[in-house]
Amino acid sequence: MKFGLMFANAGPFGYPDSLTQLARTAEEVGMESIWTIEHVVIPVGYKSTYPYDPSGRIPAPENVPMPDPLLPLAYAAAVTKTLKLGTGILILPQRHPIYVAKEVATLDVLSNGRVILGIGVGWLKEEFEALGIPFDERAGRTAESVRAMRSLWKPEPEPFKGKYFNWPALESNPKPVQQPGVPIVVGGHTELAARRAARYGDGFFPGVGDPEKLTWLLGIMRDECAKIGRKPGEIELTAGLGLIDLDGARRLQDLGVHRIGVAPMAFDPDGLAHGLHQFANDVIAKL
């Protein structure tokens, strides 16, 4: 079982000293990866419903520091050696795929092949409106952007033609260290997200730890795989988003989960260090 530490750029972790401690301690205790989150802006007084908390609100103030998800991972790459670097998630339809392909490939080269690109379609309508990107097009833009990035990561340049993006043969270099490209993990805890993961994901990250809902989502993903002739075992499964004990980890393991996402145990240096070492002793060492 692999473990990923989530929210690696939230609040104090967006600053050098705290991020260094988080990344190095996570690597030291045996965490496989750290994962960053994304909102380029949070519109004041937003009305959209945050889907991962019963309150319908992001569980943090609207002005919480939330740096770009890729730049902190580049910083973390420089202060670690083996820790994998994931976005959990990057809101892909808000970005142009040519830029994402270049940025992610660059990070993969600088980290010597340690990047995991977690993507989602987004939920905050007001954020899309601020960017001038149609909210209702986000699913289509996401799917097409995945195809576009994988095209740009190929060894030889080729033209791309889609509904939203079109270009002639382009040179986009450097190429990712990982080939045929950086693994793309589809985030989301809805039926549509499970189907997207089956259609174009290297991984699926539902962001839930409840076994009943997770079983339902994995069933949908496997059904979609059967429809398109894909083997579900090709898709790496990540689950969880909060704190978890040994029994909970074993339940997820029994469901076929490959990686468990864990929230930081604390946001202060001493509390984080203690919490990570305790988790390593109580959970990681026993699975």
Side-chain angles (χ1 to χ4, degrees):
M1 178 63 71
K2 296 179 283 192
F3 293 90
L5 188 61
M6 304 293 148
F7 308 109
N9 62 330
F13 302 134
Y15 297 92
D17 290 346
S18 293
L19 178 56
T20 298
Q21 187 214 14
L22 178 142
R24 286 179 171 168
T25 308
E27 184 173 69
E28 176 188 334
V29 304
M31 286 275 181
E32 174 245 8
S33 52
I34 58 171
W35 297 69
T36 54
I37 56 176
E38 175 171 44
H39 281 294
V40 65
V41 292
I42 299 179
V44 176
Y46 64 89
K47 303 300 182 185
S48 299
T49 300
Y50 177 68
Y52 296 100
D53 191 276
S55 69
R57 309 289 294 177
I58 298 171
E62 291 177 351
N63 65 347
V64 62
M66 195 182 302
D68 177 271
L70 294 172
L71 292 177
L73 295 180
Y75 183 94
V79 299
T80 58
K81 295 181 179 179
T82 61
L83 191 70
K84 291 195 174 182
L85 311 161
T87 56
I89 51 78
L90 179 145
I91 307 171
L92 187 56
Q94 292 181 352
R95 295 169 174 248
H96 198 290
I98 289 179
Y99 270 105
V100 180
K102 172 59 69 71
E103 291 166 345
V104 172
T106 301
L107 179 58
D108 203 52
V109 169
L110 293 175
S111 66
N112 197 26
R114 291 191 271 152
V115 180
I116 305 167
L117 179 60
I119 62 167
V121 300
W123 60 272
L124 186 50
K125 184 177 182 180
E126 293 90 337
E127 186 179 23
F128 280 79
E129 291 171 346
L131 292 166
I133 297 170
F135 185 68
D136 292 340
E137 293 180 359
R138 66 195 190 282
R141 285 177 174 269
T142 299
E144 191 167 302
S145 292
V146 169
R147 289 198 300 111
M149 291 189 299
R150 286 175 171 158
S151 171
L152 291 166
W153 289 337
K154 289 181 179 179
E156 300 297 328
E158 63 183 17
F160 182 85
K161 183 173 180 58
K163 179 178 179 181
Y164 306 102
F165 307 105
N166 293 276
W167 52 75
L170 302 175
E171 287 283 4
S172 178
N173 293 287
K175 303 300 182 186
V177 171
Q178 301 177 86
Q179 284 296 318
V182 171
I184 296 176
V185 175
V186 176
H189 69 311
T190 65
E191 177 179 346
L192 290 174
R195 298 192 187 283
R196 292 183 195 112
R199 291 195 293 269
Y200 57 75
D202 298 304
F204 180 33
F205 182 15
V208 296
D210 175 61
E212 185 175 346
K213 184 164 187 179
L214 187 59
T215 300
W216 173 68
L217 288 169
L218 296 183
I220 293 170
M221 184 199 75
R222 290 167 181 141
D223 287 346
E224 189 71 12
C225 283
K227 291 179 183 176
I228 63 175
R230 187 177 184 190
K231 296 178 181 178
E234 297 174 353
I235 302 170
E236 185 176 59
L237 303 177
T238 303
L241 203 57
L243 301 177
I244 193 166
D245 59 14
L246 181 59
D247 289 341
R250 284 175 172 159
R251 284 193 291 271
L252 293 178
Q253 187 177 47
D254 291 342
L255 289 175
V257 170
H258 303 100
R259 178 188 297 110
I260 296 176
V262 182
M265 296 76 188
F267 286 85
D268 65 286
D270 291 342
L272 179 68
H274 174 76
L276 282 171
H277 280 94
Q278 191 71 48
F279 183 80
N281 291 332
D282 293 347
V283 180
I284 296 177
K286 296 179 180 178
L287 277 179

